[in-house]
Amino acid sequence: MKWAILQCLATGWIVASAVGCAGPAITPSAPIATPAEPTSSCPPAGTFVPFSKVMNLGFASEYQGCNITTTASFVGTGLGGPGDLPGDDKVTFRAAVPGVRASVSFVTLPKEKSDIVFVLRPGDTILLTGGTRVLPYQGITWFVANSVARSR
């Protein structure tokens, strides 16, 4: 379902059902794969927060535009979301809570820092630094990374 929502957003339509898109999308005020303005609730830079908490809709807005660290399990490239739109300077990949494959999240990373994404293997544990981006009213959250490294 989340992928269907992203496909619809990327093409300018909102989701009407689990199988299709209908109506023009709400256009966000800033490109959706760019960092949000930091919230007043941002923890100190570098604070570790579990990926499951960061990506949970109940908490995600608290990490918008922050500079936290978290670990995730690399799932793969492809199934591009908003960061894969032509002309965009981001690369999108998928990640999950380590040890849990049931829920996959999208992560964007600047192209100039993305070489590591193309050598990672599914299941590799990665260290992400950055914050979230949440589209209000649509319940879509993704992690906007400013760096990705293999976790040791």
Side-chain angles (χ1 to χ4, degrees):
M1 177 68 174
K2 187 182 277 188
W3 173 235
I5 293 169
L6 287 172
Q7 280 184 311
C8 293
L9 286 172
T11 58
W13 296 86
I14 58 174
V15 172
S17 71
V19 295
C21 307
I26 298 169
T27 304
S29 58
I32 56 179
T34 58
E37 287 297 315
T39 64
S40 59
S41 62
C42 281
T47 299
F48 180 83
V49 182
F51 194 64
S52 56
K53 183 176 182 179
V54 171
M55 300 309 292
N56 181 290
L57 276 175
F59 291 96
S61 62
E62 295 176 21
Y63 302 109
Q64 284 198 105
C66 297
N67 194 27
I68 59 166
T69 58
T70 189
T71 55
S73 181
F74 180 78
V75 174
T77 60
L79 296 181
D84 283 336
L85 295 175
D88 200 356
D89 61 350
K90 308 278 188 217
V91 168
T92 301
F93 63 95
R94 292 163 288 135
V97 173
V100 179
R101 285 255 167 143
S103 179
V104 174
S105 299
F106 289 99
V107 179
T108 60
L109 180 69
K111 278 185 181 179
E112 67 270 7
K113 297 179 179 182
S114 69
D115 286 349
I116 188 170
V117 172
F118 302 102
V119 296
L120 291 169
R121 300 178 93 163
D124 284 352
T125 302
I126 52 176
L127 181 67
L128 303 170
T129 303
T132 58
R133 184 78 177 183
V134 179
L135 283 182
Y137 311 111
Q138 294 162 332
I140 299 172
T141 302
W142 63 95
F143 196 86
V144 180
N146 52 44
S147 71
V148 175
R150 275 197 171 106
S151 183
R152 302 192 187 270

